Amino acid sequence: MEAILTVNNLKTTFLTGSGAVQAVRGISFQVGKGEIVGIVGESGSGKSVSSMSILRLLPGTARIDRESSIVFDGQELTGLTPKQLRQIRGKRISMIFQDPMSSLNPLIPVGKQVEEMLKIHHKELTREQLRRQVLELFGQVRIPEPEKRLKEFPHQFSGGMRQRVMIAMALANKPDLLIADEPTTALDVTIQDQILKQLRTLQQESGASIIFITHDLGVVAELCQRVLVMYGGLIMEEAPIDDLFENPGHPYTMGLMASIPALNQDKTGRLPSIPGSPPDMTNPPQGCPFAPRCPYARKICAAQCPPYVSLGENRRSMCWLLQPDAPAENNPFRKEAAR
Amino acid sequence: MQTMENKWEMLEQTSESREKIWSRNRTFAADVWFRLCRKPTAVAGLLMILLFMLFALVGPFLTSYSYSDQSLEMVNIPPVMKVYDVGSCRVYITPSLKLIRVDENGSLTGMLPVVRYEHEKSMTIFDCDGKEVALYYGRSVYVVCDEATGNIYPAGHIWNHDHLLGTDALGRDILARLMYGTRVSLMVAFVSVLVNLVIGILYGGISGFLGGMVDAVMMRIVDIISTIPLTLYVILIMMVFGQGLQSIIIALGLVYWVDMARVVRGQVLSLKQQEFVLAARTIGSSSRTILLQHLIPNAMGSILVTATMLIPSAIFMEAFLGYLGIGLRPPLASLGTMCNDANANLRTSPHELLIPALVICLIMFAFNFLGDGMRDALDPKLKK
Amino acid sequence: MNENILEVEHLTQHFRLGRKEVVHAVDDVSFCIRRGQTLGLVGESGCGKSSCARSIIRVYDPTGGTILLDGTDITHMSQKQLQPLRRKMQMVFQDPYSSLNARMTVRDIIAEPLLAHHVVKNREQANSFVYPMLERVGLTREHADRYAHEFSGGQRQRVGIARALVLQPELVICDEPISALDVSIQAQVVNLLRDYQQEKGLAYLFIAHDLSMVRYVSDVVGVMYLGQLVELCGAEEIYSHPLHPYTQGLLSAIPVANPALARQKKSGGVAGDLPSPVTPPAGCRFHTRCPFAKPICSQEAPCMKEAAPGHSVACHLYD
């Protein structure tokens, strides 16, 4: 598949009073044309920061490492001036955020805000054309009574409806890549369900690529084709969606999956959990970031960061236990093989 | 890849290693201090305040003058004097057309006696160690010259060694008066902080915490107090207690906490809705505990910022009252009364006004810088 | 000794919004919790489940109904009369960030209930309770002198739980304790709560919007919609035989953590948005979004009745 976005060795650091927070510590990935890639991780894993780094929507204290490279459709983004970047933002790459309320201006009618988005990149459109396009977009994202709602203000919209407006805005200029940063986290399950369905149909209609960032493996399973699992600022595992769920290639992924109770699960036993807390990124662990919480951790895990091991097409994972010389005893990957 | 012994041995994991918190254990105060120290303007402000405190508290012990010592011979002398070398000694012309002998260090050693007046020549003849020198006042720049030849003696500038900042219209040492004036200003600052921290916090805290009718009544009282200008209070209080510092302090104490009370009330009202306060209520903690342990410590950030921001206005208020002449009773000095005293001789001795005015500015600058730095240091949004 | 630690009957909680408007946060909700059991309360945000919890713990003054805590009517007690009873009932809050006082050390936070109820006289004495409690929730003694803002979300929530459990209450109200936490941490917290229940036999009112977790921790599950309880039954029953159309919709909206199953999933879920609790729809409040709505649904409000043994539902479909 042809890649629309290639990220190479991305490192992003925040300078704070208590030291430099190494939020993203060198990640590389690709997004194919028309592909939906999920980035899964806990809070503090660096998943949001990596997506923000692509469009450089970072606070002033953030620094992107010089060796990082972000190539979008053949164009290197890291060296662009803010002005050049603005040409890409919203037109070719657009974003949807977790909190739609703070992304919308409370004083301007929503229809107007979507129009603005269109006008920035299409100055030639007349008022009537703009209006028609906005109506069409509202129809696409299934906002009922679009004529009436155009003139309403964000506070008159429910959370789900606001997120639809955000999606309409993001799709306004027919972007090639849509970055959705936990767009459903603040919503209720029933609304999340509606939004996910919508995103799926919209993606099929427009053919845009989507990077979908979430902490919920369930959401990823419903939407994405390929998944990156992030922890401690690193990509722990990358896999096509079916392979990941059938045969997780990293102890962290295993732990994550086990801690979601299935609706048919026996409830007499304890829920499998991952003990401990995520690492402090001002002082990231020297070895594998998951080692202190990993049930299979060896001495080497705490001492050195493991290299990636390819587990097939589009599949790689970072774990010492995947090395050929790793012992079979208490090794989750060997048991699989034996079975 | 480096080789490692027993690399496949199981890693020992403890609850400690999993739950380890790496950041240094810093209290809130230490955290704020740390951020404050990284802001140069705030540090400069703090240093200036410390210097002023040293100046006001220790200074008077280092000078031989007191704020009330008058010397009618040495009036309105500037810090830098223009002196004429008449041969045997140097002389300085005072604004009241007298000659003072100055030695080479810049010390004033006494007045020269007048020999006679030569009105038609616009000259006054003085006796300088037996030599007659003339003060010519026929033109706007007065000069010392030889009576017979009219030759002007060579002139030069010299620093006033006896009165480093000069003297005022009554011959009092400005430096000494400045120390006392700064002392008054800092005292006013201290009183305003004290009043704010005690009355303001408690009043605002209780009003916000109890809410409802109590809040409405307490806030209307605050409204009434704040609508009457402070000047009026001071004048009224002076009728009762007489003119002096105590009246200003009482006036400040009675009314200066209203801004703080409003800020604290607002904070408490918003904090009251936070879950940790609800938690304290569900625990069964007493109202006292909730107010003193939960609400006020969390409002402390805004409280400190408001306090440091209110100090300059209190200092200015005192100086302003002093300037209007309703402050301290002479010969007591405050920066405001010093400015007022200087008004009469503004044209001939501008230093008498400039110096105390500059000190007022510097003190207010220092507190404003500090307050600014405090606000940044206490703002959790900038912490990230 | 009462069989039920908590009995809630016809609880109603309204809030005034300006002069005329009234928010119907909780309307006529009845349920009871047995000793040592867990009642799960589920619903979308804005359905009144948190208001319900806060009325029960009497942070709010209920508009109507009765609340019996261990047989004692606490509905209209003053805060002073309530104070000693608060030992029996504690609460865990949703937001691990705002529910802990940022200016207090963890030691002081956990010691606060002990001091409030005069279990200990000073902080030194409190240590003998605080240290075991910290270790019980998986933290260490070194954490005692740290401030809440230095902890991660999961650690904070465990501190919040330690604060609620240190008095050994008989009922703990957990108001969405896991909603704000990461998946890997949610299981830790749930396990902690369950283990403690097995040890001490305390009861929970567990509020969540996450149905899968609620099923796991609860004995009985209640589903709330717009201030009303629409279904109440055993935890297994509600997942195997959901009766109310809203419950069915909620269940089918849960994302399935299995891509193969997710692709097969029927189009289900609930369409539309939650109506405003200021002007709730007449009749059955769910009729605006219900796929099976009949004419009667918009006219007459259904009442809770037993559709099967131990399974109550408020829906005209089961009349």
Side-chain angles (χ1 to χ4, degrees):
Chain A
M1 199 189 297
E2 201 187 335
I4 185 94
L5 180 80
T6 309
V7 173
N8 223 326
N9 198 21
L10 176 68
K11 286 181 190 164
T12 308
T13 311
F14 291 92
L15 306 173
T16 65
S18 43
V21 178
Q22 303 176 30
V24 179
R25 298 195 287 150
I27 61 167
S28 308
F29 64 94
Q30 286 197 336
V31 180
K33 274 195 175 142
E35 195 185 15
I36 309 184
V37 175
I39 301 183
V40 191
E42 306 185 18
S43 46
S45 63
K47 57 185 193 305
S48 286
V49 177
S50 41
S51 69
M52 299 286 222
S53 305
I54 295 171
L55 284 179
R56 252 188 275 155
L57 295 169
L58 296 162
T61 53
R63 298 280 176 277
I64 298 179
D65 191 86
R66 274 201 207 137
E67 282 159 40
S68 308
S69 136
I70 300 165
V71 178
F72 171 72
D73 203 15
Q75 191 179 17
E76 175 65 50
L77 297 187
T78 44
L80 292 189
T81 61
K83 200 178 167 191
Q84 290 170 313
L85 209 58
R86 269 202 298 277
Q87 288 299 312
I88 292 175
R89 270 185 215 154
K91 188 176 182 187
R92 304 212 53 204
I93 307 179
S94 53
M95 276 196 88
I96 312 174
F97 298 95
Q98 177 174 347
D99 180 9
M101 193 62 203
S102 58
S103 322
L104 289 168
N105 185 337
L107 299 175
I108 300 176
V110 289
K112 193 106 191 148
Q113 298 192 43
V114 183
E115 272 180 34
E116 284 297 320
M117 194 71 194
L118 277 165
K119 233 160 58 182
I120 295 170
H121 297 288
H122 297 277
K123 295 194 175 74
E124 73 283 357
L125 291 177
T126 63
R127 271 178 116 179
E128 190 44 45
Q129 281 173 317
L130 279 172
R131 214 179 90 88
R132 226 173 314 125
Q133 285 215 14
V134 174
L135 277 179
E136 200 179 302
L137 280 166
F138 272 31
Q140 266 183 18
V141 295
R142 311 274 188 289
I143 294 177
E145 301 175 81
E147 291 269 358
K148 187 182 137 212
R149 306 227 73 171
L150 273 183
K151 298 184 192 84
E152 290 187 348
F153 290 89
H155 68 91
Q156 288 165 298
F157 281 60
S158 67
M161 280 299 154
R162 271 183 226 137
Q163 200 56 280
R164 279 163 208 254
V165 173
M166 287 307 297
I167 295 174
M169 263 168 102
L171 294 177
N173 291 303
K174 304 200 170 50
D176 299 306
L177 176 65
L178 180 68
I179 302 176
D181 189 357
E182 307 224 22
T184 59
T185 306
L187 305 175
D188 282 306
V189 258
T190 57
I191 310 296
Q192 165 173 292
D193 189 45
Q194 295 169 8
I195 299 276
L196 287 181
K197 279 177 189 158
Q198 203 116 83
L199 272 177
R200 210 177 308 143
T201 32
L202 286 172
Q203 195 269 337
Q204 275 158 9
E205 284 166 18
S206 67
S209 313
I210 299 182
I211 299 180
F212 196 94
I213 296 157
T214 178
H215 66 266
D216 192 339
L217 272 174
V219 173
V220 166
E222 298 236 325
L223 190 71
C224 303
Q225 291 151 4
R226 198 154 50 87
V227 189
L228 308 171
V229 181
M230 280 192 76
Y231 189 82
L234 293 171
I235 294 175
M236 294 280 106
E237 183 181 4
E238 176 185 352
I241 186 80
D242 291 283
D243 296 352
L244 185 87
F245 281 87
E246 264 166 45
N247 200 353
H250 197 280
Y252 175 59
T253 323
M254 294 176 189
L256 267 188
M257 285 185 191
S259 35
I260 306 170
L263 282 181
N264 50 7
Q265 190 176 326
D266 175 31
K267 49 185 260 189
T268 47
R270 281 172 67 88
L271 198 57
S273 70
I274 309 177
S277 300
D280 180 351
M281 298 315 288
T282 49
N283 194 354
Q286 193 188 359
C288 170
F290 188 57
R293 299 172 71 190
C294 179
Y296 312 109
R298 308 300 157 108
K299 284 209 163 138
I300 187 155
C301 298
Q304 258 179 303
C305 205
Y308 283 112
V309 174
S310 172
L311 299 172
E313 201 193 340
N314 281 333
R315 257 207 104 164
R316 60 184 167 141
S317 170
M318 166 193 277
C319 182
W320 279 114
L321 293 173
L322 287 166
Q323 294 294 328
D325 61 335
E329 190 197 344
N330 203 5
N331 183 337
F333 306 111
R334 291 302 157 86
K335 268 185 220 151
E336 297 275 342
R339 229 183 270 163
Chain B
M1 198 190 305
Q2 72 186 71
T3 48
M4 190 177 161
E5 266 179 78
N6 329 323
K7 68 174 180 180
W8 297 116
E9 227 169 73
M10 292 304 282
L11 181 72
E12 274 175 51
Q13 290 160 322
T14 54
S15 176
E16 264 110 281
S17 71
R18 284 179 185 144
E19 308 282 2
K20 179 111 181 141
I21 296 174
W22 287 97
S23 64
R24 265 164 293 159
N25 192 355
R26 262 206 311 241
T27 61
F28 171 67
D31 210 32
V32 169
W33 178 245
F34 174 77
R35 270 177 283 154
L36 193 70
C37 288
R38 283 163 49 110
K39 209 165 152 77
T41 49
V43 176
L46 193 64
L47 273 176
M48 271 162 78
I49 292 167
L50 287 176
L51 282 178
F52 274 119
M53 282 168 96
L54 213 66
F55 174 69
L57 299 176
V58 181
F61 298 105
L62 302 179
T63 165
S64 50
Y65 302 97
S66 106
Y67 63 91
S68 57
D69 283 350
Q70 297 184 7
S71 152
L72 292 174
E73 293 187 338
M74 311 279 181
V75 292
N76 293 331
I77 296 175
V80 176
M81 301 174 291
K82 189 178 184 188
V83 290
Y84 293 86
D85 196 342
V86 294
S88 56
C89 68
R90 289 165 221 216
V91 291
Y92 164 72
I93 312 168
T94 68
S96 50
L97 296 185
K98 284 174 183 135
L99 287 188
I100 293 176
R101 190 205 307 260
V102 183
D103 69 10
E104 58 270 31
N105 293 328
S107 289
L108 307 170
T109 49
M111 293 187 93
L112 298 183
V114 176
V115 182
R116 62 180 184 278
Y117 298 98
E118 297 274 358
H119 290 296
E120 57 276 22
K121 283 192 194 162
S122 302
M123 277 182 184
T124 312
I125 311 300
F126 292 87
D127 171 42
C128 176
D129 301 331
K131 184 181 174 186
E132 286 192 350
V133 291
L135 168 67
Y136 174 69
Y137 51 87
R139 264 182 267 148
S140 67
V141 178
Y142 311 143
V143 291
V144 180
C145 59
D146 189 272
E147 193 204 346
T149 59
N151 285 342
I152 300 169
Y153 288 110
H157 289 271
I158 192 165
W159 195 268
N160 188 335
H161 187 75
D162 284 353
H163 303 278
L164 286 177
L165 296 178
T167 57
D168 69 1
L170 292 172
R172 296 174 293 200
D173 184 47
I174 290 184
L175 183 64
R177 285 179 71 74
L178 215 51
M179 288 169 184
Y180 283 90
T182 310
R183 198 183 259 197
V184 169
S185 286
L186 290 177
M187 168 118 81
V188 166
F190 176 74
V191 169
S192 82
V193 169
L194 193 76
V195 165
N196 271 316
L197 290 187
V198 178
I199 308 180
I201 291 179
L202 281 180
Y203 193 96
I206 290 169
S207 174
F209 181 63
L210 294 178
M213 264 317 276
V214 183
D215 180 38
V217 171
M218 285 176 88
M219 277 301 122
R220 292 302 79 73
I221 294 174
V222 161
D223 286 347
I224 292 166
I225 292 175
S226 62
T227 44
I228 303 172
L230 188 60
T231 346
L232 199 59
Y233 283 109
V234 177
I235 294 168
L236 290 176
I237 287 164
M238 271 181 197
M239 305 281 232
V240 185
F241 293 99
Q243 201 180 11
L245 189 60
Q246 76 274 16
S247 298
I248 292 181
I249 285 175
I250 290 167
L252 280 177
L254 282 178
V255 299
Y256 213 66
W257 47 267
V258 291
D259 288 334
M260 178 63 84
R262 287 205 178 112
V263 168
V264 175
R265 171 181 172 268
Q267 284 284 314
V268 166
L269 278 181
S270 70
L271 284 171
K272 226 166 62 162
Q273 301 304 320
Q274 296 249 343
E275 282 192 343
F276 70 88
V277 180
L278 288 182
R281 285 169 68 187
T282 64
I283 281 167
S285 290
S286 64
S287 301
R288 209 185 111 99
T289 315
I290 293 177
L291 187 62
L292 296 181
Q293 275 195 20
H294 293 288
L295 294 173
I296 289 176
N298 276 283
M300 216 58 205
S302 331
I303 289 172
L304 285 176
V305 173
T306 316
T308 32
M309 291 300 197
L310 282 173
I311 289 174
S313 79
I315 290 174
F316 185 76
M317 180 51 79
E318 183 277 326
F320 178 65
L321 290 172
Y323 185 77
L324 290 183
I326 38 180
L328 298 185
R329 200 193 339 230
L332 287 165
S334 93
L335 297 175
T337 54
M338 285 173 75
C339 290
N340 187 22
D341 294 344
N343 258 353
N345 303 312
L346 188 55
R347 275 167 175 273
T348 51
S349 324
H351 69 276
E352 289 173 31
L353 178 71
L354 286 180
I355 291 168
L358 188 72
V359 172
I360 297 176
C361 287
L362 285 178
I363 294 179
M364 286 179 60
F365 255 128
F367 278 106
N368 270 323
F369 276 157
L370 182 68
D372 233 27
M374 290 271 253
R375 191 183 47 211
D376 290 351
L378 289 161
D379 190 353
K381 272 183 221 143
L382 296 168
K383 201 185 164 182
K384 276 184 192 167
Chain C
M1 189 139 155
N2 280 287
E3 194 186 349
N4 293 332
I5 181 73
L6 181 75
E7 285 175 45
V8 174
E9 272 159 38
H10 308 293
L11 180 68
T12 305
Q13 180 74 57
H14 291 174
F15 297 104
R16 264 189 190 285
L17 204 73
R19 281 276 156 86
K20 280 182 193 157
E21 296 186 324
V22 172
V23 180
H24 299 254
V26 181
D27 252 340
D28 195 17
V29 166
S30 308
F31 57 82
C32 56
I33 303 177
R34 291 175 167 227
R35 277 178 192 282
Q37 285 210 334
T38 304
L39 174 83
L41 212 51
V42 233
E44 291 175 84
S45 50
C47 73
K49 50 194 196 304
S50 286
S51 304
C52 188
R54 288 180 181 186
S55 315
I56 292 169
I57 203 146
R58 287 293 319 279
V59 175
Y60 299 153
D61 293 324
T63 316
T66 49
I67 303 163
L68 300 178
L69 176 68
D70 202 7
T72 322
D73 187 346
I74 60 165
T75 328
H76 302 293
M77 273 192 181
S78 71
Q79 295 296 335
K80 206 164 202 167
Q81 288 171 305
L82 267 172
Q83 211 269 349
L85 287 171
R86 290 204 180 275
R87 259 193 96 156
K88 290 189 183 178
M89 178 166 64
Q90 290 288 312
M91 186 151 170
V92 178
F93 289 83
Q94 173 178 3
D95 185 354
Y97 290 82
S98 76
S99 63
L100 302 181
N101 185 344
R103 303 279 182 271
M104 277 163 87
T105 61
V106 163
R107 182 198 311 278
D108 291 342
I109 288 171
I110 301 179
E112 190 183 352
L114 298 167
L115 291 166
H117 291 276
H118 308 291
V119 178
V120 293
K121 285 198 187 64
N122 53 42
R123 281 176 195 170
E124 285 68 47
Q125 285 184 4
N127 284 346
S128 59
F129 289 83
V130 171
Y131 287 145
M133 204 61 228
L134 268 178
E135 273 154 29
R136 186 71 196 70
V137 298
L139 298 172
T140 60
R141 281 172 182 227
E142 279 82 70
H143 291 118
D145 289 313
R146 287 192 170 259
Y147 288 84
H149 65 86
E150 298 171 64
F151 289 76
S152 68
Q155 289 172 324
R156 285 169 194 234
Q157 196 58 298
R158 280 183 276 159
V159 172
I161 290 172
R163 171 176 64 186
L165 296 182
V166 74
L167 285 173
Q168 306 213 344
E170 291 165 61
L171 172 69
V172 174
I173 297 177
C174 305
D175 185 6
E176 305 212 34
I178 55 169
S179 309
L181 302 179
D182 283 309
V183 184
S184 75
I185 308 294
Q186 287 186 354
Q188 278 178 18
V189 169
V190 164
N191 281 335
L192 174 66
L193 288 171
R194 275 181 50 134
D195 290 351
Y196 204 81
Q197 182 171 44
Q198 273 158 14
E199 255 172 61
K200 308 275 176 180
L202 76 169
Y204 291 125
L205 173 60
F206 192 92
I207 294 168
H209 62 248
D210 183 336
L211 282 137
S212 39
M213 242 358 150
V214 167
R215 171 190 165 271
Y216 192 78
V217 294
S218 313
D219 300 295
V220 180
V221 173
V223 180
M224 276 186 84
Y225 184 76
L226 215 58
Q228 290 178 328
L229 206 57
V230 295
E231 190 162 0
L232 182 71
C233 68
E236 289 306 323
E237 178 82 0
I238 207 152
Y239 292 92
S240 52
H241 302 107
L243 291 180
H244 199 281
Y246 178 62
T247 318
Q248 291 168 358
L250 263 187
L251 281 171
S252 73
I254 306 174
V256 188
N258 183 331
L261 284 179
R263 275 192 287 269
Q264 291 165 15
K265 203 167 89 169
K266 290 172 294 189
S267 57
V270 185
D273 271 332
L274 196 70
S276 156
V278 179
T279 48
C284 172
R285 289 186 179 177
F286 187 58
H287 83 260
T288 52
R289 298 170 78 188
C290 182
F292 312 109
K294 299 186 286 185
I296 187 176
C297 298
S298 57
Q299 288 149 16
E300 204 179 303
C303 46
M304 279 295 257
K305 50 195 156 293
E306 220 166 49
H311 192 153
S312 315
V313 65
C315 180
H316 286 303
L317 292 175
Y318 303 96
D319 281 344

